[in-house]
Amino acid sequence: MSDSNNLVRGTFLLTIATFITKLLGMLYLIPFYSIMGGEENLALYGYAYTPYTIMLSIAAAGVPGAVSKYVSKYNALGAYATSQKLYRSSLLVMLGSGVIAFLALFMAAPFIAELQMLAAGDGAHRWSTEDVTRIIRVVSVAVIVVPFMATWRGIFQGFESFGPTSVSAVIEQLIRIVFLLGGAFIVIYILDGTVQTANEVAVFAAFVGVLAAMGTLWYFWRKRKGHIDRMMATDDTDYDFSYREMYSEIIRYGIPFIIVGISIPLTMFIDQLTHNNGLALGGVPEQYHDAWFGMLNLTTHKLVMIPTAFASAFAITILPFITKNYQRGKMGDVHEQIKMMVLMLLFFVIPAAIGMMILSAPLYTSFYSYNEMGIKILLFYAPVSIAISLFTITCSIVQGIDKQNLTLYVVLIMLAIKAAINIPLIMQFQTVGAVMGTGIALSIGVLINFMIIKKYGEFRFRPLIRPLAEIVVYSLVMLLVVEIIYYILMFNVDISSKTGAIIIMAVAVPIGGLVYMLLSFKTGLADEILGSRADKIRKRLKVL
C-alpha cells in the first residue's frame, strides 16, 4: 500500500476513533451533569483534571511521540533491530516514570490545591483545599500506567499501524464512562454519599479505563508480533547504538513533545490561576466565579474539543509519514502530505466551528441546561477550535521536519502572551475574555509555526489558497441555511427547554451538514481533498 493510501487510511481510522471518544466524552456530561447537580459541583472535577493532565505529559516526557518518530525513522532505514531495542526498554522506562510521577503528584497535591484555591479567591461557594487535595490524589493513581500505555501506542504508530491505538482509545473511553456514571450514581442515589465522593469515583474511572486499553493493546500485540519479528529478521544494517545514544536522541525528540503536549493544559491552568481573580477585579460577584469557571474549563471546553478531535488524529498519523519522507529526502512527498493534512483538517473543522457558533444556544441547552453565560462562552469558544486544531497539527509538522527544538520557543511565546493578556481581558469581557486570550495566543503560535514550515520545509502556501477559499465560502453558505432554519424553528419551539433545543439541533445539524457536503462533492472540492475516498463516499451516499 502506498504512503498516500496508508496516510489516508491511518488518518481515517484515528479520526473515527478520536471522534467517537470525543463524542462519548461530551455525551456523558449530560447524565453526569444531572447526577452531580450543576456547573459548581463539576468545578471540583475540573480542579483535579488540569494538574493531572499536566503531570501526565511530564511523566511521559514526550516519549510516546518520540518513540513513534524514532521507530518510524529507523524502520525507514531498515534498522528494525534498533527499533526493537528502543521500544523494549522504553516500556520499562515509562513504567518507572509513571510510578515516580504518581508519587510526585500525590505528595504535591496539597501545594497544588492551595495554589488553585488562592487563585479562586475567598468566595463562599468554592471548594476547600482539603477537598481538592483529596481528589487530585485519587486521580494521581492513573499516572502510574498511562505513560506505559501511551508509549505502547507510539510503538504501533511507528510501525504505521493505527488500528490498535484507535480501538484501544474507544474501549478506554467506554469503560471509563461506564465506571464514572455508574459509580457517581451509586454514591449519590444509592449510598447517599457526598458530591465530593462522587467526584472522586469519577476521576478514578481514568485508571480503570487505562487498564482496559492496555488489555486491548496486549491483544493486538499478540496478533502483530509475528509480523514484526519477520521484519526484524530482514535487518541487514550494522547500526548498533548504545542505550545512552538511543535515549539521547529520544530526549532530543521528547522535550518538544512534552512542551506541545502540555501547551493546551497549561493555557487552562493559566485560566485556573487568573479566572476568579480577573472576575473579582472586574467587579463580578463571587457567587458566579466557580460556576463560570466550570463552564469555561469543563462544559464548553468539552463541546469545543469535538472539532479538535480531527487535529489530534491528523497530528498522530502525519508524524511518522513526514519523518520517513523527510529522512529519505523526498521533499515533494513531504509537501503533498502537509497540504493534504492541513486542507483535510480545515475541511472538517471550519464548518464544524461555524456551525457551533450559530447553534451555540441549542447546543449548550441540549447537553446541559439553558444558561446565558454558558451559551455566550460557547459562542466565542467555537472559532477558537480552529486555532487549537491548527496549532496541534502545525506543531506535529514542525517536529516531522526535524525542527522540534523550535516548538519549545513557539509554545513559550504562546503561553507568555496568554499569561500577559488573560487578566486584562477577563476584567473587560468576564469569562469570555479568557477564551479570547486563548484564541489570540494560539493564533500567534500557529502563525510562527507556519513561518518555520515555510522556511525549513520549503513549503509553498499558494496551493492552499483556492481550496481554502472554497471551504470558507461553502461553510458560509451552510451558515446562512442553518441560520434561516434556526430562526424559523425559534418561532415554534422553546429554545430554553431541553426538548426544544434538541429539536432544533436534530433538524438544523443534518440539513447544514448535507448542504456543505453537497457543495463540496458537486464542485469537486471533496475529491481534491479526500482523494479516492471521495468516490467511495459518493457511491455509498448516492445523493452526493
Side-chain angles (χ1 to χ4, degrees):
M1 190 179 291
S2 69
D3 272 359
S4 179
N5 288 334
N6 268 330
L7 178 57
V8 173
R9 181 177 181 275
T11 303
F12 179 76
L13 285 173
L14 277 176
T15 299
I16 294 298
T18 310
F19 186 79
I20 290 171
T21 57
K22 294 289 186 182
L23 184 62
L24 291 172
M26 181 177 67
L27 292 175
Y28 89 86
L29 279 176
I30 300 173
F32 189 48
Y33 181 91
S34 299
I35 292 170
M36 302 302 287
E39 287 93 348
E40 187 175 316
N41 290 337
L42 291 177
L44 182 61
Y45 188 84
Y47 283 131
Y49 251 88
T50 301
Y52 161 71
T53 305
I54 293 171
M55 182 55 74
L56 273 185
S57 297
I58 296 171
V63 169
V67 165
S68 172
K69 180 179 172 70
Y70 188 98
V71 170
S72 175
K73 173 182 175 180
Y74 286 99
N75 282 356
L77 300 174
Y80 301 111
T82 299
S83 299
Q84 183 184 55
K85 184 177 181 180
L86 180 279
Y87 71 66
R88 281 180 173 175
S89 64
S90 66
L91 290 173
L92 295 176
V93 170
M94 284 299 96
L95 188 58
S97 173
V99 172
I100 294 170
F102 155 71
L103 294 173
L105 184 57
F106 189 90
M107 291 186 290
F111 170 76
I112 297 170
E114 182 66 31
L115 185 64
Q116 292 187 89
M117 291 303 95
L118 284 173
D122 297 320
H125 298 276
R126 68 182 178 89
W127 293 94
S128 70
T129 301
E130 291 73 22
D131 294 335
V132 179
T133 298
R134 281 178 53 188
I135 198 167
I136 290 174
R137 284 180 166 170
V138 171
V139 78
S140 67
V141 177
V143 180
I144 298 173
V145 289
V146 172
F148 181 95
M149 176 203 65
T151 301
W152 207 349
R153 286 174 175 169
I155 293 167
F156 278 111
Q157 289 153 203
F159 280 97
E160 298 177 11
S161 178
F162 301 100
T165 295
S166 305
V167 177
S168 66
V170 173
I171 290 176
E172 177 188 0
Q173 186 75 305
L174 279 171
I175 299 300
R176 184 183 76 87
I177 289 172
V178 169
F179 188 92
L180 180 151
L181 293 177
F185 182 85
I186 290 170
V187 167
I188 291 180
Y189 294 99
I190 296 179
L191 302 179
D192 198 25
T194 64
V195 171
Q196 165 79 24
T197 304
N199 270 299
E200 291 170 1
V201 170
V203 296
F204 185 74
F207 176 72
V208 178
V210 172
L211 293 182
M214 288 176 62
T216 306
L217 292 172
W218 177 77
Y219 168 78
F220 277 105
W221 187 256
R222 287 190 63 189
K223 290 185 64 176
R224 307 283 172 88
K225 194 174 184 305
H227 172 66
I228 293 173
D229 286 342
R230 287 191 293 274
M231 292 173 66
M232 301 300 165
T234 66
D235 185 353
D236 57 0
T237 65
D238 57 355
Y239 290 104
D240 186 21
F241 297 114
S242 66
Y243 286 111
R244 181 177 180 180
E245 290 172 315
M246 284 197 307
Y247 279 96
S248 293
E249 188 168 353
I250 285 292
I251 290 171
R252 289 201 309 274
Y253 294 160
I255 291 175
F257 279 101
I258 300 174
I259 302 300
V260 173
I262 65 175
S263 58
I264 301 301
L266 279 176
T267 62
M268 297 173 68
F269 193 60
I270 290 171
D271 286 334
Q272 281 193 9
L273 298 180
T274 58
H275 177 265
N276 288 9
N277 284 332
L279 291 181
L281 291 170
V284 176
E286 292 175 346
Q287 67 208 54
Y288 297 111
H289 292 189
D290 274 354
W292 289 4
F293 173 74
M295 295 173 193
L296 172 67
N297 262 26
L298 190 61
T299 55
T300 60
H301 181 74
K302 285 286 186 181
L303 294 171
V304 167
M305 293 309 286
I306 291 293
T308 66
F310 297 110
S312 301
F314 290 6
I316 290 171
T317 49
I318 196 173
L319 181 62
F321 289 98
I322 288 185
T323 298
K324 179 174 71 175
N325 287 317
Y326 186 81
Q327 290 297 325
R328 291 175 174 175
K330 296 182 177 180
M331 296 307 295
D333 290 344
V334 171
H335 295 164
E336 187 60 31
Q337 287 163 354
I338 293 174
K339 175 191 171 185
M340 182 192 303
M341 284 291 100
V342 171
L343 287 177
M344 200 183 299
L345 174 72
L346 295 177
F347 180 76
F348 293 108
V349 173
I350 289 177
I354 290 176
M356 288 181 70
M357 286 180 67
I358 189 62
L359 296 173
S360 56
L363 179 60
Y364 193 91
T365 305
S366 61
F367 278 94
Y368 309 113
S369 61
Y370 184 82
N371 186 292
E372 290 186 1
M373 178 53 73
I375 293 166
K376 184 179 179 181
I377 295 170
L378 181 58
L379 174 66
F380 283 87
Y381 214 156
V384 175
S385 64
I386 300 173
I388 295 173
S389 300
L390 283 173
F391 186 78
T392 301
I393 196 169
T394 53
C395 282
S396 188
I397 292 169
V398 169
Q399 291 165 341
I401 61 174
D402 223 18
K403 295 299 176 185
Q404 56 272 356
N405 57 312
L406 296 179
T407 57
L408 168 63
Y409 302 106
V410 175
V411 172
L412 289 177
I413 291 170
M414 184 271 291
L415 292 175
I417 293 170
K418 167 71 174 173
I421 65 178
N422 221 45
I423 287 183
L425 285 172
I426 293 171
M427 291 172 61
Q428 184 67 34
F429 302 103
Q430 300 177 344
T431 303
V432 169
V435 175
M436 293 178 177
T438 299
I440 293 169
L442 285 172
S443 297
I444 293 172
V446 170
L447 181 62
I448 298 172
N449 276 339
F450 273 130
M451 291 169 63
I452 294 170
I453 294 167
K454 177 176 174 59
K455 180 177 180 180
Y456 295 102
E458 301 173 7
F459 183 72
R460 297 173 299 278
F461 289 94
R462 188 176 297 275
L464 296 177
I465 295 175
R466 184 189 54 76
L468 180 56
E470 288 187 59
I471 291 171
V472 173
V473 170
Y474 302 156
S475 297
L476 291 175
V477 173
M478 176 204 73
L479 170 65
L480 180 61
V481 173
V482 170
E483 192 165 4
I484 292 170
I485 295 169
Y486 181 24
Y487 281 109
I488 291 173
L489 290 172
M490 281 180 63
F491 290 106
N492 298 285
V493 297
D494 180 12
I495 191 175
S496 63
S497 72
K498 191 176 287 289
T499 302
I502 291 173
I503 290 172
I504 292 174
M505 293 295 295
V507 175
V509 171
I511 293 176
L514 181 61
V515 168
Y516 179 75
M517 296 303 285
L518 278 171
L519 288 170
S520 301
F521 276 83
K522 295 298 183 182
T523 60
L525 175 66
D527 297 85
E528 182 177 352
I529 293 175
L530 302 178
S532 61
R533 192 164 295 277
D535 276 333
K536 294 179 181 178
I537 296 172
R538 189 178 282 109
K539 288 175 182 177
R540 291 180 182 179
L541 304 174
K542 295 181 180 180
V543 68
L544 301 176

